[in-house]
Amino acid sequence: MQSVTVSVNDLFEFEGQPIPVQRPDNAAVEVMVHRQFSFLPQPLKVEIGSETVTVSFTEESPVAQQEAVRLGVRAGRRAAEGDHKKAIGILKRVLELQPTLHSARRDLAMAYAASGDFDSAKNHLVEVLRLNAKDHWSWVTLANLYAKNYDDFDTAEKFLRRALALAPDDPWALNSLGAVLLERDQTDDAIRIFQRAIAVNPQAANPYYGLALTQCKINQPQLASETLSNFFAQGKMQDSRSIQVFENARALFVDIQTSLAEQHHAAANEVVEKLRVEMEQLSGYPVRVSYEDFQTTIGALIQMAWKHSRDHHLIRCRKSYPKRLMPHMLAHELGHLRLESNARRSGKNRFFVSSAKARETMIKRMEDDILRWQKRGHSESSITNVVSDLIQRACAHLLNCPIDMIIETSMRDSMPSLAPAQFLSLRLLALEAWEADSNAANRELTPRLIMRPTLALNGAYALCVDNLFRGATAYASNYRKLETFGASEKLWQHWQSRFPKLGPGDEYDLVDDFATMLGLKDWYEWKPDPGS
């Protein structure tokens, strides 16, 4: 025989009734016991004391218990994969074999909750607690059901306090209590509880997200940004249920950076203006800025005075670019100016040139694509223009990708006031790049000769951006499924090995390294800077 002892007061808790002032007679208590424990092997033997009740029943056979455990493990795998329907079917069979296996009953409740059947989830959790009122995790799960699905925060808090009385340092109970306190606008207490949960388990995702939400609610976006940054650096993906938390945290981070970019806009403009003056002194030429309607998704570009026979440098910016992000674009182009000015001062500056010979070589390698376009009725002049534009953009991409990685990494470390605008700006450019890279029409029209290195370079750049923001972004995940991602990883790893040791002009060697790794050394040539 097996037995379970439960307090008389808990019998009322389990049925959602208030504890009566006067204890009912034994006959009424026994009726409640038989009703509440009807899921156990029958018949039941009930022994009623003054404050507790003991329920005895026949234990399941060892064979049934062994099979139940085996199936329970299988159901756990299905639940972790997010297949809750299959998990529910398996767990029902587990409980037919062993009704007293309360861990399986708890898992069944969680699977029901995940599938949206909250009443069934609640009923099974209560049955778990009837078997073991000290199962603190079931109190936590039951509290979450009351909070999230019945908006009953009083009951939820009561159950969470009971769970914490059993397990004071359980991070999930602490997180759930913090969430309930946040819902009740008890923000100071919520912050204290979330911080305690993080201290107990720094890898758990939910407390960071809850703490950041609370900090946003009391208008502390900078603290919220720091909280989420710590989460992205330390939080771990536990199972399929963590995916949504990460997605929510990343969406919240974007909102926070948008708010901070607005707040820091004036300070960011001041920093960029100081940088502009510094670069004018370093280069020996003034810097002018124009705002134009670009036909491409380029954010900005700089035309160096010495390359365009001007008495000034010109930064051309996309007029439609969000105003709050413009300081980042200007700082980025001034970063190009810094690199090139330092290379000139060291006598190492070079000009990247796509020569007629290089273009001819590339066009020969695209003969099959050109023939395909001709068969589709495209005119020779339109094909010439398209090929010329593709080659020009591909060469610019090869030149700029490793250098842009240098500029953004240096900016992230040295210009903290630009951090929100930098995050949002790189986010916009990354989304635009993937939109173009994944566009079926673009991929159909772009020759493989150009498409493959484009994807490899964009994948490497995405890895760089994800690294910059310590997990707040996952742009490289788009490229992982592509056959070019192996090349992206090699480019990124090589860049990491070279970056800390780069001196003036060494960025051009890095461009050569990328070109060699991608088989593109015949795309361009270098010409010496005449120094005029």
Side-chain angles (χ1 to χ4, degrees), residues 44 79 97 101 140-141 184 204 232 382 507 518:
L44 303 179
L97 292 165
L101 187 58
V140 173
T141 310
R184 302 176 76 173
F232 296 131
S382 67
E507 62 270 19
L518 294 171

mmCIF file of all heavy atoms in Angstrom, residues 44 79 97 101 140-141 184 204 232 382 507 518:
data_model
loop_
_atom_site.group_PDB
_atom_site.id
_atom_site.type_symbol
_atom_site.label_atom_id
_atom_site.label_comp_id
_atom_site.label_asym_id
_atom_site.label_seq_id
_atom_site.Cartn_x
_atom_site.Cartn_y
_atom_site.Cartn_z
ATOM 1 N N LEU A 44 -9.996 3.370 -2.067
ATOM 2 C CA LEU A 44 -9.188 4.190 -1.179
ATOM 3 C C LEU A 44 -9.518 3.867 0.280
ATOM 4 O O LEU A 44 -10.663 3.578 0.630
ATOM 5 C CB LEU A 44 -9.457 5.674 -1.437
ATOM 6 C CG LEU A 44 -9.227 6.205 -2.850
ATOM 7 C CD1 LEU A 44 -9.578 7.687 -2.904
ATOM 8 C CD2 LEU A 44 -7.792 5.977 -3.298
ATOM 9 N N ALA A 79 7.990 17.340 -25.546
ATOM 10 C CA ALA A 79 7.645 18.659 -25.008
ATOM 11 C C ALA A 79 8.770 19.650 -25.240
ATOM 12 O O ALA A 79 8.534 20.814 -25.596
ATOM 13 C CB ALA A 79 7.333 18.549 -23.519
ATOM 14 N N LEU A 97 -0.832 3.979 -16.562
ATOM 15 C CA LEU A 97 0.041 2.952 -15.998
ATOM 16 C C LEU A 97 0.377 3.227 -14.537
ATOM 17 O O LEU A 97 0.429 2.308 -13.716
ATOM 18 C CB LEU A 97 1.341 2.872 -16.815
ATOM 19 C CG LEU A 97 1.218 2.350 -18.242
ATOM 20 C CD1 LEU A 97 2.472 2.665 -19.040
ATOM 21 C CD2 LEU A 97 0.965 0.828 -18.221
ATOM 22 N N LEU A 101 2.433 8.873 -10.376
ATOM 23 C CA LEU A 101 3.686 9.487 -10.843
ATOM 24 C C LEU A 101 3.450 10.983 -11.018
ATOM 25 O O LEU A 101 3.104 11.470 -12.091
ATOM 26 C CB LEU A 101 4.130 8.837 -12.160
ATOM 27 C CG LEU A 101 5.518 9.244 -12.691
ATOM 28 C CD1 LEU A 101 6.612 8.958 -11.688
ATOM 29 C CD2 LEU A 101 5.801 8.553 -14.016
ATOM 30 N N VAL A 140 4.277 27.014 -8.343
ATOM 31 C CA VAL A 140 4.713 28.072 -9.266
ATOM 32 C C VAL A 140 3.897 28.020 -10.555
ATOM 33 O O VAL A 140 3.381 29.043 -11.035
ATOM 34 C CB VAL A 140 6.217 27.939 -9.587
ATOM 35 C CG1 VAL A 140 6.628 28.938 -10.669
ATOM 36 C CG2 VAL A 140 7.054 28.149 -8.333
ATOM 37 N N THR A 141 3.784 26.831 -11.119
ATOM 38 C CA THR A 141 3.076 26.688 -12.390
ATOM 39 C C THR A 141 1.600 27.043 -12.236
ATOM 40 O O THR A 141 1.003 27.708 -13.098
ATOM 41 C CB THR A 141 3.223 25.253 -12.918
ATOM 42 O OG1 THR A 141 4.604 24.884 -12.899
ATOM 43 C CG2 THR A 141 2.695 25.143 -14.334
ATOM 44 N N ARG A 184 1.028 44.439 -10.582
ATOM 45 C CA ARG A 184 0.315 45.171 -9.534
ATOM 46 C C ARG A 184 0.964 46.522 -9.245
ATOM 47 O O ARG A 184 0.645 47.171 -8.256
ATOM 48 C CB ARG A 184 0.272 44.316 -8.265
ATOM 49 C CG ARG A 184 -0.398 42.967 -8.495
ATOM 50 C CD ARG A 184 -0.383 42.065 -7.292
ATOM 51 N NE ARG A 184 -1.370 42.485 -6.311
ATOM 52 C CZ ARG A 184 -1.674 41.794 -5.214
ATOM 53 N NH1 ARG A 184 -1.076 40.648 -4.975
ATOM 54 N NH2 ARG A 184 -2.574 42.230 -4.374
ATOM 55 N N ALA A 204 19.351 32.359 -16.518
ATOM 56 C CA ALA A 204 17.916 32.299 -16.793
ATOM 57 C C ALA A 204 17.466 33.557 -17.522
ATOM 58 O O ALA A 204 17.797 34.676 -17.116
ATOM 59 C CB ALA A 204 17.140 32.121 -15.489
ATOM 60 N N PHE A 232 21.826 39.253 -22.794
ATOM 61 C CA PHE A 232 22.308 38.705 -24.056
ATOM 62 C C PHE A 232 23.705 38.107 -23.903
ATOM 63 O O PHE A 232 24.070 37.168 -24.603
ATOM 64 C CB PHE A 232 22.305 39.779 -25.138
ATOM 65 C CG PHE A 232 20.933 40.289 -25.470
ATOM 66 C CD1 PHE A 232 20.673 41.654 -25.525
ATOM 67 C CD2 PHE A 232 19.893 39.424 -25.715
ATOM 68 C CE1 PHE A 232 19.412 42.136 -25.822
ATOM 69 C CE2 PHE A 232 18.621 39.888 -26.013
ATOM 70 C CZ PHE A 232 18.384 41.242 -26.069
ATOM 71 N N SER A 382 21.170 47.505 -72.297
ATOM 72 C CA SER A 382 20.681 47.314 -70.922
ATOM 73 C C SER A 382 21.537 46.289 -70.195
ATOM 74 O O SER A 382 21.840 46.448 -69.009
ATOM 75 C CB SER A 382 19.221 46.875 -70.933
ATOM 76 O OG SER A 382 19.072 45.583 -71.487
ATOM 77 N N GLU A 507 44.677 47.871 -43.509
ATOM 78 C CA GLU A 507 43.333 47.452 -43.908
ATOM 79 C C GLU A 507 43.297 47.011 -45.366
ATOM 80 O O GLU A 507 42.450 46.189 -45.755
ATOM 81 C CB GLU A 507 42.319 48.577 -43.674
ATOM 82 C CG GLU A 507 42.565 49.847 -44.457
ATOM 83 C CD GLU A 507 43.450 50.838 -43.709
ATOM 84 O OE1 GLU A 507 44.162 50.422 -42.774
ATOM 85 O OE2 GLU A 507 43.432 52.038 -44.085
ATOM 86 N N LEU A 518 38.156 34.388 -51.178
ATOM 87 C CA LEU A 518 36.958 34.248 -52.014
ATOM 88 C C LEU A 518 37.292 34.007 -53.488
ATOM 89 O O LEU A 518 36.390 33.887 -54.320
ATOM 90 C CB LEU A 518 36.083 35.502 -51.882
ATOM 91 C CG LEU A 518 35.459 35.735 -50.509
ATOM 92 C CD1 LEU A 518 34.800 37.116 -50.453
ATOM 93 C CD2 LEU A 518 34.434 34.650 -50.181
#
